[in-house]
Amino acid sequence: MATRTDAPSRREQILKEAARLFAERGFHGVGVDEIGAAVGISGPGLYRHFAGKDAMLAELLVGISGQLLTGAKRRLAEADGGAAEAVLDSLIEGHIDFALDDRPLITLHDRELDRLRDSDRKLVRQLQRQYVELWVESLREVYPGLAEPAARSAVHSVFGLLNSTPHLGRPGSLPGRGATAELLHRMARGAFAAAGAE
């Protein structure tokens, strides 16, 4: 699997540009020729990598749901029974990385999830439920008095907060990645503290 320091593969380049274009103009507003042009290949050349736009959309949305779940499991494994507060902070940091670095995928999920085949949409939902449950367990470690339904609602609310990044304006208009990440982290912890308050 490629790391952030590796050069992206052609397939990863295609997916990144497809996500950007789909988010900007909608799934039906983008043709394979435009995606191909964005990565320097012909539209038909894309079919060497994907069966079509539907396959790209499915890989983008199933892929990011799987990556979030895998990343959360890795963070929990690395914590290895560490302080509950630190585990929750680590989960928040991971989601903030996604929310700041993959903004087009948030827009794409909001607008285009219903375009997936039923089997792919069900898989996305299954992965998302597992991701939420990891957060719920971690949150209740920090706030043991928080009932499970309230914890689940709090987690979904914080996801809504963190996933608002596509609406924060153009990337250049934000106060800088570090400052934005810090602000989002404080807001997420504040929301959880409010939910856990007696």
Side-chain angles (χ1 to χ4, degrees), residues 87-98:
V87 172
L88 184 59
D89 282 334
S90 182
L91 288 175
I92 293 170
E93 288 163 12
H95 199 95
I96 288 172
D97 285 343
F98 157 68

Side-chain angles (χ1 to χ4, degrees), residues 23-98:
E24 286 175 2
R25 299 208 301 274
F27 180 73
H28 287 304
V30 179
V32 292
D33 289 337
E34 294 169 273
I35 298 168
V39 295
I41 61 175
S42 68
L46 289 178
Y47 293 109
R48 281 187 239 120
H49 302 278
F50 296 96
K53 286 196 320 178
D54 289 336
M56 289 180 219
L57 181 65
E59 186 155 335
L60 285 164
L61 295 181
V62 173
I64 193 56
S65 297
Q67 288 169 32
L68 285 169
L69 177 60
T70 299
K73 286 180 176 178
R74 179 181 43 76
R75 286 172 179 272
L76 291 172
E78 288 170 356
D80 194 27
E85 298 260 354
V87 172
L88 184 59
D89 282 334
S90 182
L91 288 175
I92 293 170
E93 288 163 12
H95 199 95
I96 288 172
D97 285 343
F98 157 68

Side-chain angles (χ1 to χ4, degrees), residues 8 59 71 73 81 90 102 121 125 130 152 188:
E59 186 155 335
K73 286 180 176 178
S90 182
D102 293 307
R121 191 168 52 251
R125 295 296 191 202
Q130 292 175 45
R152 194 167 291 108

